[in-house]
């Protein structure tokens, strides 16, 4: 069983040393934010970046310079994503890029980022292929870093831990179905998840990847029910999980659901689908518990200012601004060839855990680093952490129509 050790963090940079009281009299340091502005993941990335910028600027900026932000909408389309990168780098000449959401879009952007020689701190996409560019050709792609989320392979490990520890170990689930969208990050994740669950003694009754625009899930639910599965492990981000979860609820499917459902991390997900998310258990990167000494200050400040809780891209963007600012301060310049070595030495206690990069510029995962907390939607619309055991705050309950049944 994995022990996360989140409570073991003894300190955090609540007042980072790179923030100076000196008057900011140099040209501004410009942060370009390419993201999907029409989605909450995009809005939270923008707002959290601004929150961090304002905090740093209020204390004097970095190297006597203020920070400012420029946003470009990359939508969820690779062509638009490339246009957003070109706008920010060629037209706006930003010093750094902080953003991203869709793996396919980010992968399409990478050659353009490399050509621009602009540092890119990615905070939304999970495909391991993103930082594999760095491993295969460091000289060309050294500008690429992933701050958040943990990559799809590591997310699979967290799901395996949840499946074997919580579902099998505590709830006695033996048979599990995997259902997810047919996207690059899920294609990377699903084989690892299946192999890990089976190695741990569970039976994976089916693995189904469906188009993101699927609107009728009844055939899938019928197939999964017939397979004998006792739990559906979902892996969703771009798919219409509002429809997926509502149809699961309306069908009163006798199988609980949970896993990774990015839209179910939205603060309004429960209410916007009429409470039908009840009992869904979702992996979260950021949740209002003291994962580190920075978690609750960030959470409370974000909620107070923007009147909604943040999702994972908000936490990742906030941390990315501080990580970049600290690296610039250590380097004494914004020149990428000086800042990149400083970024590679990052040791920063952020909102989600200890942030360090591995050799291919991917964020590290595991005990003491960043991981996932699994929270269940309760009938009153609250989210309660049920896994890992060390930080669990309540029991994982079955769907209402299965309550009391063996």
């Amino acid at each position: 069983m994995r022990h996360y050790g989140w409570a073991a963090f003894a300190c955090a940079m609540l007042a980072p040393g790179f923030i100076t009281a000196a008057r900011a009299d140099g040209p501004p340091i410009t942060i370009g934010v390419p993201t999907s502005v029409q989605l909450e993941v995009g809005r939270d990335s923008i707002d959290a970046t601004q929150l961090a910028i304002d905090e740093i600027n209020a204390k004097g900026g970095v190297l006597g310079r203020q920070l400012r932000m420029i946003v470009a909408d990359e939508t969820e389309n690779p062509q638009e994503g490339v246009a957003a990168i070109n706008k920010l780098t060629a037209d706006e000449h930003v010093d750094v890029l902080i953003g991203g959401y869709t793996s396919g879009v980010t992968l399409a952007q990478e050659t353009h980022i490399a050509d621009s020689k602009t540092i890119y701190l990615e905070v939304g996409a999970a495909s391991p292929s993103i930082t594999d560019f760095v491993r295969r050709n460091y000289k060309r792609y050294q500008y690429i870093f992933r701050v958040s989320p943990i990559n799809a392979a590591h997310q699979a490990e967290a799901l395996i831990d949840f499946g074997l520890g919580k579902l099998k170990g505590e709830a006695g689930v033996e048979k599990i179905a995997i259902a997810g969208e047919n996207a690059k990050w899920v294609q990377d994740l699903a084989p690892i998840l299946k192999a890990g669950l089976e190695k741990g003694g569970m039976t994976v009754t089916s693995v189904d990847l469906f188009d993101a625009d699927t609107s009728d899930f009844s055939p899938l639910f019928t197939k999964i029910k017939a397979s004998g599965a006792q739990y559906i492990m979902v892996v969703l981000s771009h798919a219409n999980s509002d429809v997926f979860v509502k149809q699961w609820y309306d069908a009163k499917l006798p199988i609980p659901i949970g896993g990774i459902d990015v839209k179910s991390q939205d603060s309004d997900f429960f209410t916007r689908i009429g409470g039908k998310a009840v009992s869904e258990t979702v992996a979260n990167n950021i949740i209002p518990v003291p994962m580190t000494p920075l978690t609750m200050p960030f959470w409370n400040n974000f909620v107070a200012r923007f009147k909604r809780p943040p999702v994972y891209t908000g936490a990742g963007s906030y941390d990315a601004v501080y990580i970049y600012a600290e690296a610039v301060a250590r380097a004494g310049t914004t020149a990428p060839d000086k800042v990149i070595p400083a970024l590679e030495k990052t040791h920063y206690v952020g909102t989600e855990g200890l942030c360090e990069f591995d050799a291919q510029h991917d964020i590290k995962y595991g005990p003491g680093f960043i991981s996932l907390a699994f929270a269940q939607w309760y009938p009153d619309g609250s989210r309660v952490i049920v896994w890992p055991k060390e930080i669990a705050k309540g029991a994982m309950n079955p769907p209402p129509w299965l309550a009391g049944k063996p």
Side-chain angles (χ1 to χ4, degrees):
M1 191 71 63
R2 178 174 289 109
H3 295 285
Y4 291 74
W6 281 322
F9 291 113
C11 65
M13 296 182 192
L14 293 172
F18 59 82
I19 297 176
T20 69
R23 181 175 64 87
D25 53 7
I29 296 172
T30 305
I31 297 173
V33 180
T35 191
S36 301
V37 303
Q38 72 278 17
L39 302 177
E40 183 165 346
V41 288
R43 294 190 295 271
D44 283 11
S45 191
I46 294 166
D47 289 345
T49 297
Q50 190 63 58
L51 180 63
I53 285 173
D54 291 346
E55 291 175 357
I56 293 171
N57 285 346
K59 297 181 179 179
V62 183
L63 302 180
R65 300 167 64 184
Q66 295 278 282
L67 308 182
R68 69 184 182 105
M69 175 177 67
I70 300 176
V71 177
D73 187 3
E74 68 178 23
T75 70
E76 295 181 85
N77 177 280
Q79 185 175 353
E80 294 295 327
V82 169
I85 292 298
N86 290 338
K87 174 184 184 295
L88 292 170
T89 57
D91 298 342
E92 301 292 350
H93 303 288
V94 300
D95 294 290
V96 63
L97 298 159
I98 294 176
Y101 169 52
T102 306
S103 289
V105 172
T106 302
L107 289 166
Q109 294 169 329
E110 290 202 59
T111 57
H112 301 272
I113 294 167
D115 288 344
S116 74
K117 294 181 167 50
T118 305
I119 292 170
Y120 176 59
L121 303 182
E122 196 270 313
V123 299
S127 173
S129 298
I130 291 168
T131 56
D132 197 48
F133 275 70
V134 181
R135 179 188 63 79
R136 289 187 282 111
N137 190 342
Y138 177 87
K139 183 176 180 180
R140 176 158 167 70
Y141 292 101
Q142 60 185 298
Y143 308 94
I144 311 294
F145 291 79
R146 186 188 348 246
V147 174
S148 176
I150 57 173
N151 73 41
H154 294 328
Q155 290 185 34
E157 293 179 49
L159 289 174
I160 292 165
D161 182 69
F162 172 68
L164 299 180
K166 185 66 177 179
L167 299 180
K168 183 176 185 289
E170 294 186 7
V173 172
E174 298 290 342
K175 298 181 179 180
I176 193 166
I178 299 171
E181 65 199 21
N182 192 18
K184 174 67 172 128
W185 74 284
V186 184
Q187 295 165 6
D188 293 333
L189 185 154
I192 301 170
L193 175 58
K194 180 177 184 292
L197 293 173
E198 290 178 337
K199 184 178 180 180
M202 301 186 83
T203 299
V204 177
T205 63
S206 61
V207 178
D208 293 283
L209 303 186
F210 49 80
D211 291 339
D213 60 358
T214 299
S215 59
D216 181 8
F217 295 97
S218 55
L220 174 62
F221 292 151
T222 298
K223 175 185 176 183
I224 291 174
K225 183 178 178 182
S227 76
Q230 300 165 282
Y231 197 89
I232 303 175
M233 188 78 83
V234 300
V235 192
L236 306 170
S237 180
H238 308 285
N240 194 343
S241 55
D242 293 50
V243 173
F244 183 96
V245 176
K246 283 194 287 187
Q247 290 184 3
W248 163 81
Y249 179 98
D250 290 341
K252 298 296 184 284
L253 200 69
I255 311 172
I257 61 173
I260 296 174
D261 183 352
V262 172
K263 290 184 172 64
S264 189
Q265 294 181 25
D266 292 353
S267 58
D268 67 345
F269 184 76
F270 187 90
T271 55
R272 82 173 181 241
I273 66 169
K276 294 181 178 182
V278 62
S279 85
E280 184 186 18
T281 303
V282 178
N284 290 265
N285 297 74
I286 184 77
I287 201 78
V289 298
M291 297 176 176
T292 79
L294 277 186
T295 309
M296 293 312 302
F298 161 71
W299 185 278
N300 292 335
N301 290 339
F302 188 97
V303 171
R305 180 163 174 177
F306 303 110
K307 311 307 178 188
R308 68 180 187 277
V311 297
Y312 78 101
T313 50
S317 298
Y318 181 87
D319 288 343
V321 175
Y322 275 98
I323 287 169
Y324 176 74
E326 185 187 70
V328 167
R330 291 201 306 271
T333 177
T334 57
D337 64 326
K338 304 296 184 184
V339 176
I340 288 169
L343 282 170
E344 291 172 341
K345 297 181 176 66
T346 293
H347 181 86
Y348 177 77
V349 179
T351 60
E352 304 172 51
L354 176 60
C355 299
E356 292 184 357
F357 298 110
D358 64 19
Q360 62 185 54
H361 295 180
D362 214 340
I363 199 71
K364 291 182 180 179
Y365 158 82
F369 294 102
I370 292 175
S371 195
L372 297 175
F374 290 82
Q376 186 178 56
W377 287 107
Y378 269 28
D380 63 358
S382 64
R383 286 178 288 185
V384 177
I385 295 178
V386 298
W387 190 261
K389 184 182 293 185
E390 307 94 280
I391 60 171
K393 300 298 181 182
M396 189 173 74
N397 301 314
W401 55 92
L402 293 181
K405 295 186 178 181

